[in-house]
Amino acid sequence: MPATATDPKDQPKGGQATGAAGAGQSTAKEGLQDVIAGRTAICHVFGGDKEKNYPGRLIYRGYDIDDLAQHATFEEVVHLLWHDDLPTRSQLDQVKQQLGQNRALPSEVIDLMRRFPKDATPMDVIRSVVSTLGLFDPEGAVDTTEANHNKALRLTAQMPTIVTTWHRLRQGKDPIQAKPSQSTAEAFLYMLNGEEPTDVAERTLDVALILHADHEFNASTFAARVTAATLSDMHSAVTSAVGALIGPLHGGANEGVIHMLQEIGEPEKVEPFILDKLKGRGARIMGFGHRVYRGTDPRAQYLREMSRQLGERQKDLKFWTMSRNIEEIMWREKTIHANVDFYSASTYWALGLPTDLFTPIFAVSRIAGWTAHILEQYSDNRIIRPLAEYAGPWQRSYVPIEQREQTAQEGKKS
Ligand code: ACO
């Protein structure tokens, strides 16, 4: 039997004891704040500084998100994230062709999806289908670098199809196949609605996909890297990432924004609603705040402007106006900036997209970043295994089951 340490000071590692048994200062970094948990050459977030009025900045492999949002396409960004540089014309043609040719889901997976409960949320469906696709991937059990690149390509190509197939199936409609020549944004809107999107809708979605494609060690990407670092397979790592994205503190926030705007209802109700919400202990206004950005989120300005332009075209600026007002109140009351989720909500709303597809659209984009990070993790791997600060009792003696109730009652009395 291994020896049992009886005193915190005898513990071989892990810093001082705290909590129930220890008296030392906590050394744990709650939420891993400010911890550099690994190296990456894919993406960097410069947090900025609100006191000095320095805006946040975001680069993908050295290219500023401003440059990419204004000039690139999502497919160029996908190539950049996977292959370390922007593609040449022929490389771009190749990545577009490969994505276009790999969008279809295996018929067995579609048959299975037909049996899912019709009220399953699209994010739960994505999580289940990504996992299932691992069973049908032609290189599922192969873990060479080439096979992993192929899996990254297939998953990125299939993600829009998962979302649109589910949206049609749950309405009792048959799925529509994209045309191989269509871009990701175009294919997504086409498979969703069954008609060619307008240029404005396609470019708006394309820019949104560029803005969401990667974000360093965000929660879902980190989850993917933790799973990949055990040398588990790509489908498992992406399944972990999808699970993390579902949460309202991460990808789920954009849906929360629309629910909030709908609940507020009218522009004149914004101020009392937000002030009242902020009174609540630990209250969170969805679409605000960020772990890394202290200055502005560089992605938000593009979504704010696209949301305004779409609203103007449709002569309906209500949600945009309410959103601007919320932004002003949040700055005045909490000096907190809007994040990427805030205006992506009103942008997608103005595109007529169903609210519960907002987070799935995030996944349609972020799959590029997830897979780039998984490939990077595989290429220079060490298992990710931090320490925990122990906050429980240090030693207890085994109590036979017959005596436990009595011991528990005695414990309650004392
Ligand atoms: N609404 C109100 N107050 C907020 C908000 C918010 N959305 N976000 C942060 N704050 C306040 C907190 O109350 C806290 O103030 P205090 O110091 O006076 O108590 C301070 O800002 C720091 O907040 P933390 O929760 O410590 O920040 P943390 O880094 O842990 O969390 C997070 C970041 C999860 C993004 C948080 O800001 C939040 O919950 N935002 C709302 C959800 C959201 O929009 N998520 C999307 C993030 S972007 C993305 O994942 C794509």
Side-chain angles (χ1 to χ4, degrees):
M1 248 177 89
T4 315
T6 55
D7 191 295
K9 70 181 180 325
D10 297 331
Q11 300 298 314
K13 59 177 185 168
Q16 290 173 288
T18 59
Q25 278 292 102
S26 172
T27 52
K29 290 276 196 177
E30 291 297 342
L32 298 184
Q33 175 156 3
D34 299 330
V35 171
I36 297 176
R39 287 158 66 90
T40 181
I42 299 172
C43 175
H44 185 65
V45 176
F46 299 84
D49 186 323
K50 66 181 166 192
E51 275 76 37
K52 294 182 183 149
N53 208 16
Y54 293 163
R57 264 187 75 208
L58 171 61
I59 53 170
Y60 295 167
R61 296 202 182 268
Y63 292 94
D64 204 293
I65 195 67
D66 289 329
D67 244 358
L68 297 170
Q70 288 173 54
H71 306 297
T73 60
F74 178 62
E75 284 71 22
E76 284 179 272
V77 167
V78 171
H79 185 282
L80 172 66
L81 295 174
W82 286 345
H83 300 295
D84 196 20
D85 211 346
L86 288 168
T88 60
R89 168 64 59 195
S90 65
Q91 287 170 331
L92 179 61
D93 288 346
Q94 192 185 6
V95 78
K96 283 170 76 172
Q97 192 184 34
Q98 288 173 330
L99 288 170
Q101 286 171 349
N102 282 282
R103 295 218 188 277
L105 302 178
S107 58
E108 296 91 332
V109 173
I110 298 178
D111 287 346
L112 196 64
M113 290 171 79
R114 287 184 196 279
R115 291 187 212 145
F116 286 175
K118 289 282 177 286
D119 60 352
T121 70
M123 283 305 292
D124 286 348
V125 169
I126 294 178
R127 189 195 54 227
S128 306
V129 172
V130 166
S131 178
T132 309
L133 283 170
L135 302 173
F136 292 93
D137 192 283
E139 293 169 296
V142 189
D143 72 349
T144 60
T145 303
E146 191 189 348
N148 284 325
H149 272 275
N150 293 340
K151 285 183 236 183
L153 181 104
R154 279 192 283 275
L155 277 167
T156 304
Q158 288 165 331
M159 192 62 87
T161 319
I162 300 172
V163 180
T164 54
T165 297
W166 177 243
H167 185 60
R168 293 189 69 85
L169 289 179
R170 69 178 172 174
Q171 297 175 95
K173 297 179 184 168
D174 281 328
I176 294 175
Q177 285 200 355
K179 300 173 188 169
S181 61
Q182 288 176 321
S183 71
T184 303
E186 193 182 3
F188 177 84
L189 294 167
Y190 179 73
M191 289 190 284
L192 193 71
N193 301 321
E195 55 190 48
E196 301 281 352
T198 63
D199 289 348
V200 170
E202 184 189 340
R203 181 58 188 160
T204 303
L205 186 58
D206 197 47
V207 173
L209 297 179
I210 292 169
L211 296 172
H212 286 83
D214 197 34
H215 213 232
E216 202 214 60
F217 279 16
N218 63 91
S220 55
T221 302
F222 194 59
R225 288 191 77 129
V226 168
T227 302
T230 67
L231 296 185
S232 181
D233 64 286
M234 179 155 301
H235 287 79
S236 296
V238 173
T239 305
S240 300
V242 174
L245 188 70
I246 289 174
L249 298 187
H250 188 17
N254 55 15
E255 295 178 21
V257 173
I258 281 297
H259 293 139
M260 175 177 70
L261 291 171
Q262 287 171 322
E263 192 183 340
I264 298 173
E266 295 303 325
E268 58 276 14
K269 294 189 183 153
V270 165
E271 175 120 11
F273 180 95
I274 298 294
L275 293 182
D276 190 54
K277 257 262 171 331
L278 289 178
K279 276 190 210 145
R281 201 162 157 266
R284 289 284 182 277
I285 305 297
M286 291 293 115
F288 283 87
H290 199 274
R291 172 59 64 76
V292 185
Y293 291 122
R294 293 295 166 236
T296 46
D297 180 333
R299 304 164 296 178
Q301 59 180 320
Y302 293 97
L303 292 154
R304 183 193 296 114
E305 182 54 18
M306 291 194 301
S307 163
R308 187 190 66 76
Q309 286 178 6
L310 289 169
E312 261 185 359
R313 289 177 83 91
Q314 293 164 4
K315 301 197 179 0
D316 180 5
L317 282 163
K318 185 166 137 184
F319 277 180
W320 185 82
T321 312
M322 290 166 69
S323 300
R324 284 297 285 159
N325 196 356
I326 296 171
E327 242 190 316
E328 284 159 15
I329 297 167
M330 287 299 283
W331 182 250
R332 188 185 74 211
E333 298 292 322
K334 301 279 295 185
T335 55
I336 297 180
H337 291 293
N339 61 47
V340 69
D341 280 323
F342 191 58
Y343 284 100
S344 65
S346 47
T347 301
Y348 298 155
W349 178 262
L351 285 177
L353 298 167
T355 307
D356 66 357
L357 297 193
F358 292 5
T359 312
I361 292 169
F362 199 143
V364 166
S365 164
R366 188 58 61 83
I367 181 68
W370 289 334
T371 49
H373 278 270
I374 294 165
L375 293 169
E376 188 182 56
Q377 186 68 41
Y378 286 152
S379 71
D380 185 14
N381 187 58
R382 193 160 184 224
I383 193 166
I384 298 172
R385 201 307 187 185
L387 295 177
E389 185 176 84
Y390 180 62
W394 283 103
Q395 184 163 18
R396 294 159 117 179
S397 299
Y398 182 81
V399 180
I401 197 157
E402 301 76 30
Q403 294 170 25
R404 279 180 217 160
E405 209 163 312
Q406 190 189 341
T407 313
Q409 276 166 5
E410 281 169 9
K412 265 187 206 158
K413 277 186 214 150
S414 63

